[in-house]
Amino acid sequence: MTAFTVRDKKDTRSGFGAGLLQAGKDDPNVVALCADLTGSLKMDAFARAFPERFIQCGVAEANMMGIAAGLTIGGKVPFTGTFANFSTGRVYDQIRQSIAYSGKNVKICASHAGLTLGEDGATHQILEDIGMMRMLPGMTVIVPADHDQTKAATLAIARMNGPVYLRFGRPKWPVFIPEDVPFEIGKAQVLLEGRDVTIVACGHLVWNAIQAAERLLEQGVQAEVINMHTIKPLDVRAVLRSIGRTGCVVTCEEHNRYGGLGEAVAQVLALHAPTPQEFVAVDDRFGESGTPEELLRKYRLDVPDIEEAALKAISRK
Amino acid sequence: MPEPAVDKEKRVTQAPLENICSQVRRDIVRMTHGAKSGHPGGSLGCVEFLVALYFDVMQHDPEDWDMNGAGQDLFFLSNGHISPVWYSVLARRGYFPIEELATFRKLDSRLQGHPTTHDGLPGVRMASGSLGQGLSVAIGAALAKKLDKDERLVFSLHGDGELQEGQNWEAAMSAAAHKVDNLIATVDHNGRQIDGDVDEVMPLGDLGAKWRAFGWEVLEMNGNILQEVLDTLQKAIERTGKGKPIVILMRTEMGQGVDFMMGTHAWHGVAPDDEQCERALAQLECTLGDY
């Protein structure tokens, strides 16, 4: 088993900010739009470097999505930035008609997703966004696991053509994905190999899954950990290859158990290889105020919860 | 569906605009009759405006159409339900074969009930139908032109009932803030919407004062008098590039040109039956050749 080195603790949103700045340097067509959250989204560096390519939209997310769609018509590559709630639920119809149905090359970049937003509470802790975005035909959905991967994902989506939902978060989180593991849209990363259970995770919970795997190993259980950073299109082959060895799966996500990664994996299994699956996800509830750590514990997305789910999945084989 | 070849024979770019207006009205009546659905009322009211734009005012080339439209004037239809008038004008202007108008609202057609880019119909750059989104998109396209130092203009059309959608006012605020002075938005102010008169459903108040308060240059015109439309659009173009977005409040009559469709909101989204179609066409005698 490979030991993971935690290189640093950084917020994934800063990875986005760094990636956006680099994307702006790489491609003069990259433009950025923000709805009064430039600092929170770490878009200030881009705004300072390319003021003519930064469009402040104020607290008006619906208009921001429409302007972004229009900018693509001149060949621009717009990145919108606001919190995940205001990037999706608030503007679903704008995304649906003006971006997804119209096939526009807009990159919807969403911070402060999930419970780890923390103290602001349930109004801001969206847990339904992956589901909403997954359901839109043609939408690519990416949930990177750490700061560096968020930067890599930001650069990757700048180079692809088509609408993307990029979801990241607020808290400082371990930077641990080995630097020699390349990020490729739609290609899952097997971070740990194992034969007893497959743990498929995305976002912040990939680190929790790694820790759970280490605790499982102490009990003689070899867990395979897959970082499913791209929820759509899902790397079906990676799932099937892994469960072919392990025979059971746990999915982990900072999202409602409905609509997210877990259901995406369940559909693959139902179609190709019915397999016991356990879901580490929020149990169809809204969140609340608290620290990220407290919330992950209370809503059962913590390391022991993944460990327990893995043992349960194994018992169902 | 394979893309049909453009029928160059039937292009009618040379006919007098009044005659084109009559033909477009015939197309609207026949398309909605053929589909047994669609929105003839608002379509008939906007005929002069769209004919003036596409056959006189805008600098554009159907032969050279692509999505980005660099070096060309762009048009966005925000009130997508009046697709019949837009489809007719696009076809008559040579964007796609006139015969294709017969497929309106039919299975596998590129002429969907509401406009879409989904099926690659030339001339359409954005899906519309869910109201209130077109002004934002037009602003984005106008900003892209500014970034590219492209001096061509962006035109857009919106319903008056549509202005009840809040996104329009977000967009209006942002266009003034960003000095989007290469945009000419027009509001089809026919005073009617699905449930009745706009003043009864949700009054818009003093629209001119509202737009001015949002920082726009406001012009007004009667949208059913062709020369007035041409003159006002020219006046609007002369006022571009002066730091302010421009809006034209265009008074029209829903159902214009077909007597029994005028003076009521009843024909917002109702198609004429066989007898009504005949009566309507009898009032629109001038034809350049039906599809």
Side-chain angles (χ1 to χ4, degrees):
Chain A
M1 176 171 160
T2 315
F4 283 85
T5 308
V6 175
R7 299 193 292 280
D8 204 346
K9 272 188 96 174
K10 287 182 174 176
D11 45 355
T12 48
R13 54 185 164 143
S14 288
F16 164 67
L20 180 65
L21 179 63
Q22 186 61 47
K25 290 176 182 167
D26 294 347
D27 182 355
N29 278 322
V30 166
V31 296
L33 302 91
C34 189
D36 195 29
L37 286 169
T38 311
S40 297
L41 268 285
K42 306 295 179 188
M43 297 170 88
D44 352 34
F46 182 98
R48 276 195 302 273
F50 309 107
E52 74 290 354
R53 287 196 264 147
F54 177 75
I55 300 166
Q56 173 60 266
C57 293
V59 194
E61 296 83 4
N63 184 45
M64 176 169 74
M65 292 301 168
I67 291 179
L71 281 158
T72 67
I73 291 167
K76 304 299 162 206
V77 184
F79 283 68
T80 66
T82 181
F83 290 169
N85 186 21
F86 316 135
S87 293
T88 56
R90 183 161 188 104
V91 291
Y92 197 64
D93 190 45
Q94 284 76 16
I95 294 175
R96 181 177 180 273
Q97 174 171 287
S98 292
I99 296 174
Y101 184 45
S102 292
K104 298 305 181 199
N105 189 26
V106 176
K107 315 304 175 187
I108 302 161
C109 301
S111 183
H112 293 54
L115 291 172
T116 52
L117 159 73
E119 293 80 352
D120 277 349
T123 53
H124 289 49
Q125 289 161 345
I126 195 158
L127 298 167
E128 309 88 40
D129 54 328
I130 296 174
M132 281 190 279
M133 292 297 112
R134 262 184 76 217
M135 280 199 295
L136 291 170
M139 182 68 72
T140 295
V141 179
I142 299 175
V143 187
D146 69 11
H147 170 282
D148 292 1
Q149 184 158 84
T150 307
K151 180 180 179 186
T154 304
L155 289 165
I157 65 175
R159 291 189 293 266
M160 72 162 271
N161 187 31
V164 176
Y165 180 60
L166 180 68
R167 181 203 216 224
F168 42 91
R170 173 173 181 261
K172 288 193 164 45
W173 209 253
V175 182
F176 67 98
I177 304 280
E179 286 170 304
D180 60 353
V181 176
F183 176 83
E184 194 179 324
I185 296 168
K187 193 153 190 286
Q189 298 172 332
V190 180
L191 296 179
L192 282 177
E193 291 189 351
R195 62 173 188 220
D196 298 321
V197 58
T198 300
I199 305 176
V200 181
C202 65
H204 293 135
L205 293 202
V206 177
W207 174 243
N208 287 10
I210 293 287
Q211 291 176 286
E214 287 169 357
R215 289 169 59 142
L216 286 163
L217 191 61
E218 289 166 13
Q219 302 163 58
V221 173
Q222 293 183 17
E224 179 144 306
V225 176
I226 295 179
N227 172 19
M228 193 62 80
H229 52 71
T230 306
I231 315 282
K232 185 184 177 185
L234 194 78
D235 190 342
V236 173
R237 286 173 61 185
V239 173
L240 294 178
R241 201 162 42 226
S242 182
I243 59 110
R245 282 199 295 273
T246 63
C248 67
V249 63
V250 175
T251 49
C252 313
E253 60 195 312
E254 211 184 320
H255 190 269
N256 195 331
R257 63 187 298 153
Y258 299 121
L261 171 66
E263 280 198 354
V265 170
Q267 189 177 56
V268 171
L269 300 180
L271 284 170
H272 301 286
T275 305
Q277 178 180 359
E278 291 294 322
F279 296 76
V280 173
V282 176
D283 190 14
D284 199 26
R285 296 166 68 187
F286 293 103
E288 64 182 290
S289 293
T291 67
E293 296 75 21
E294 288 168 341
L295 290 163
L296 291 180
R297 206 172 308 131
K298 177 165 179 177
Y299 288 80
R300 307 211 57 195
L301 307 180
D302 209 350
V303 175
D305 305 306
I306 299 173
E307 182 187 356
E308 187 185 318
L311 293 173
K312 190 171 177 194
I314 291 167
S315 74
R316 290 175 55 205
K317 279 204 259 188
Chain B
M1 178 173 168
E3 195 165 313
V6 174
D7 181 354
K8 293 183 179 176
E9 295 299 309
K10 296 196 85 172
R11 288 205 176 140
V12 284
T13 51
Q14 301 303 321
L17 297 187
E18 290 81 358
N19 297 0
I20 298 172
C21 287
S22 176
Q23 182 60 55
V24 167
R25 286 199 160 89
R26 291 180 66 88
D27 289 343
I28 293 166
V29 169
R30 297 183 68 244
M31 287 164 73
T32 51
H33 170 257
K36 297 186 174 61
S37 68
H39 298 78
S43 294
L44 290 165
C46 291
V47 168
E48 282 79 8
F49 174 72
L50 279 163
V51 167
L53 262 190
Y54 275 87
F55 287 86
D56 186 281
V57 175
M58 285 205 307
Q59 294 191 25
H60 65 123
D61 181 4
E63 296 275 4
D64 194 27
W65 188 86
D66 69 8
M67 182 55 77
N68 284 353
Q72 304 214 15
D73 288 342
L74 308 182
F75 172 75
F76 294 97
L77 181 71
S78 188
N79 47 336
H81 56 278
I82 67 163
S83 57
V85 60
W86 195 24
Y87 291 151
S88 168
V89 167
L90 285 172
R92 298 279 168 189
R93 188 64 181 78
Y95 278 87
F96 55 84
I98 293 165
E99 291 72 18
E100 205 170 338
L101 295 176
T103 70
F104 176 58
R105 284 180 168 251
K106 304 248 166 83
L107 194 66
D108 294 329
S109 173
R110 301 195 294 180
L111 278 59
Q112 291 289 296
H114 294 82
T116 175
T117 57
H118 212 253
D119 305 305
L121 187 68
V124 179
R125 293 189 166 88
M126 182 61 54
S128 59
S130 177
L131 293 173
Q133 300 187 28
L135 188 56
S136 305
V137 173
I139 290 166
L143 287 170
K145 286 208 176 292
K146 280 180 170 283
L147 282 168
D148 288 339
K149 313 254 184 289
D150 178 343
E151 294 190 349
R152 299 280 21 105
L153 302 173
V154 175
F155 295 85
S156 61
L157 181 61
H158 314 263
D160 51 1
E162 183 183 12
L163 297 184
Q164 291 157 0
E165 291 280 8
Q167 187 181 342
N168 289 297
W169 303 102
E170 296 182 4
M173 204 183 307
S174 70
H178 291 289
K179 298 185 168 46
V180 185
D181 58 5
N182 54 344
L183 168 65
I184 299 172
T186 297
V187 176
D188 175 19
H189 200 5
N190 60 27
R192 304 187 198 281
Q193 59 188 108
I194 297 177
D195 273 359
D197 289 349
V198 173
D199 280 344
E200 290 170 10
V201 177
M202 181 55 65
L204 296 170
D206 186 340
L207 259 192
K210 279 193 166 77
W211 285 100
R212 270 187 288 273
F214 274 83
W216 287 56
E217 179 83 26
V218 181
L219 299 173
E220 298 192 30
M221 68 182 177
N222 184 325
N224 295 133
I225 300 174
L226 187 57
Q227 194 57 51
E228 190 171 327
V229 173
L230 290 165
D231 292 345
T232 310
L233 283 168
Q234 281 308 329
K235 198 184 296 178
I237 289 170
E238 286 160 18
R239 296 191 186 186
T240 58
K242 298 189 192 320
K244 279 182 164 189
I246 295 158
V247 64
I248 303 173
L249 303 180
M250 177 173 77
R251 277 278 170 201
T252 65
E253 178 66 47
M254 191 185 260
Q256 178 72 27
V258 177
D259 58 8
F260 60 90
M261 291 188 181
M262 295 165 68
T264 171
H265 66 274
W267 291 89
H268 169 92
V270 176
D273 62 20
D274 293 348
E275 182 271 331
Q276 289 162 334
C277 181
E278 286 306 312
R279 272 168 59 205
L281 293 177
Q283 297 172 37
L284 303 165
E285 285 183 9
C286 177
T287 176
L288 304 169
D290 289 331
Y291 60 82

